[in-house]
């Protein structure tokens, strides 16, 4: 799986939008972009994934650059419960193999 | 059950002892994964099962670590002659192939192992 680069940490205010960036310049044509998050003392939790088009679900939105070399996870209104480590991971579409986690971005949300 | 269940949630043992950690995946999930996570780090892959067989065990750090999944459901991670460096949270996840072709993992809450 290709490598991703994320900032170590970010801060946000409650009720404001949060944009979490991820660079993946070596992405291949069959790689899906996955996001997971890990709340304190819990296992990672799936957030969203996409291939080429922007994606929306009840948790977040995923904006994918046209050249697919970067993407942004968007939390539309941050809450205190969104404070977590967010991981951006590339996954070959035909693979059921393991996910390779980096260190992720630690998001702090201020009231 | 509704989610991935891991037992025990906490295990404290002494250096040199043998430890077993259990994972109960979501019913119907054919793939099962073990990871371990040290403080401040992302999860580190250990082993992945497809059905009963280990499809990829390249992450097991040495021969003290072993995992089984005899009936293609529950899995046990076994650690022999534990060392203080084995202290970590051991995470289990399961999945089945999504219709999009990109499968999603569901993780358990983990088993925290402390080796004194």
């Amino acid at each position: 799986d290709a490598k991703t680069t994320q900032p170590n940490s970010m801060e946000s205010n409650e009720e404001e939008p949060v944009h979490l960036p991820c660079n993946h310049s070596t992405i291949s044509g069959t790689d899906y972009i996955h996001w997971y998050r890990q709340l304190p003392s819990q296992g990672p939790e799936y957030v969203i994934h996409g291939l080429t088009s922007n994606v929306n679900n009840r948790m977040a939105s995923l904006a994918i650059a046209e050249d697919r070399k970067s993407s942004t996870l968007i939390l539309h209104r941050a809450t205190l419960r969104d404070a977590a480590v967010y991981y951006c991971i590339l996954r070959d579409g035909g693979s059921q193999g393991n996910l390779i986690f980096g260190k992720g971005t630690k998001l702090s949300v201020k009231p | 059950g509704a989610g991935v269940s891991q037992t025990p949630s906490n295990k404290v043992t002494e250096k040199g002892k043998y430890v077993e950690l259990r994972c109960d995946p979501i019913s119907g999930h054919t793939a099962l994964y073990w990871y371990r996570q040290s403080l401040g780090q992302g999860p580190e892959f250990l082993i992945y099962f497809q059905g009963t067989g280990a499809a990829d065990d390249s992450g097991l750090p040495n021969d003290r670590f072993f995992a089984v999944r005899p009936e293609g459901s529950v899995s046990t991670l076994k650690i022999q002659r534990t060392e203080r460096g084995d202290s970590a949270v051991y995470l289990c996840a399961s999945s089945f192939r999504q219709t999009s072709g990109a499968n999603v993992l569901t993780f358990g809450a983990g088993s925290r192992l402390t080796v004194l």
Side-chain angles (χ1 to χ4, degrees):
Chain A
D1 293 311
K3 188 177 176 180
T4 63
T5 304
Q6 299 177 254
N8 290 333
S9 63
M10 290 184 65
E11 263 190 7
S12 171
N13 294 316
E14 198 177 12
E15 306 286 312
E16 291 186 356
V18 182
H19 290 230
L20 296 162
C22 181
N23 287 319
H24 29 79
S25 58
T26 58
I27 191 170
S28 74
T30 56
D31 283 339
Y32 281 73
I33 302 158
H34 284 243
W35 284 82
Y36 284 71
R37 73 178 185 181
Q38 188 170 22
L39 280 65
S41 301
Q42 295 189 26
E45 169 190 34
Y46 168 78
V47 177
I48 200 167
H49 77 275
L51 183 61
T52 56
S53 303
N54 294 344
V55 184
N56 300 295
N57 67 21
R58 64 174 181 81
M59 290 181 71
S61 295
L62 177 59
I64 301 173
E66 197 170 331
D67 64 4
R68 302 212 321 129
K69 294 187 175 182
S70 65
S71 60
T72 302
L73 180 70
I74 302 166
L75 307 179
H76 295 286
R77 287 181 65 202
T79 70
L80 296 179
R81 288 173 295 176
D82 290 322
V85 178
Y86 287 78
Y87 297 98
C88 170
I89 303 165
L90 298 184
R91 187 66 180 278
D92 186 289
S95 169
Q96 274 206 329
N98 74 87
L99 290 176
I100 299 175
F101 288 82
K103 288 193 174 181
T105 297
K106 184 173 183 178
L107 175 66
S108 302
V109 180
K110 295 184 290 184
Chain B
V4 177
S5 176
Q6 292 189 246
T7 54
S9 55
N10 274 288
K11 175 72 177 177
V12 179
T13 190
E14 292 179 343
K15 180 174 177 294
K17 299 288 189 184
Y18 170 79
V19 165
E20 287 190 354
L21 306 174
R22 175 188 167 109
C23 174
D24 225 314
I26 292 174
S27 178
H29 278 193
T30 57
L32 185 145
Y33 309 77
W34 283 100
Y35 288 79
R36 73 175 174 181
Q37 187 171 27
S38 302
L39 196 62
Q41 304 295 315
E44 173 194 14
F45 169 74
L46 296 177
I47 186 170
Y48 145 61
F49 288 89
Q50 185 61 259
T52 60
D56 183 354
D57 64 358
S58 62
L60 294 177
N62 51 59
D63 61 6
R64 295 187 298 106
F65 288 75
F66 190 71
V68 295
R69 195 185 184 202
E71 296 178 358
S73 178
V74 171
S75 176
T76 304
L77 179 66
K78 308 181 180 195
I79 310 173
Q80 298 178 321
R81 304 183 305 279
T82 51
E83 300 177 356
R84 293 194 180 89
D86 298 334
S87 296
V89 175
Y90 288 80
L91 295 162
C92 177
S94 67
S95 77
F96 60 87
R97 188 180 292 275
Q98 303 293 301
T99 54
S100 68
N103 65 311
V104 169
L105 274 61
T106 301
F107 284 82
S111 293
R112 180 177 298 279
L113 174 66
T114 303
V115 182
L116 301 177

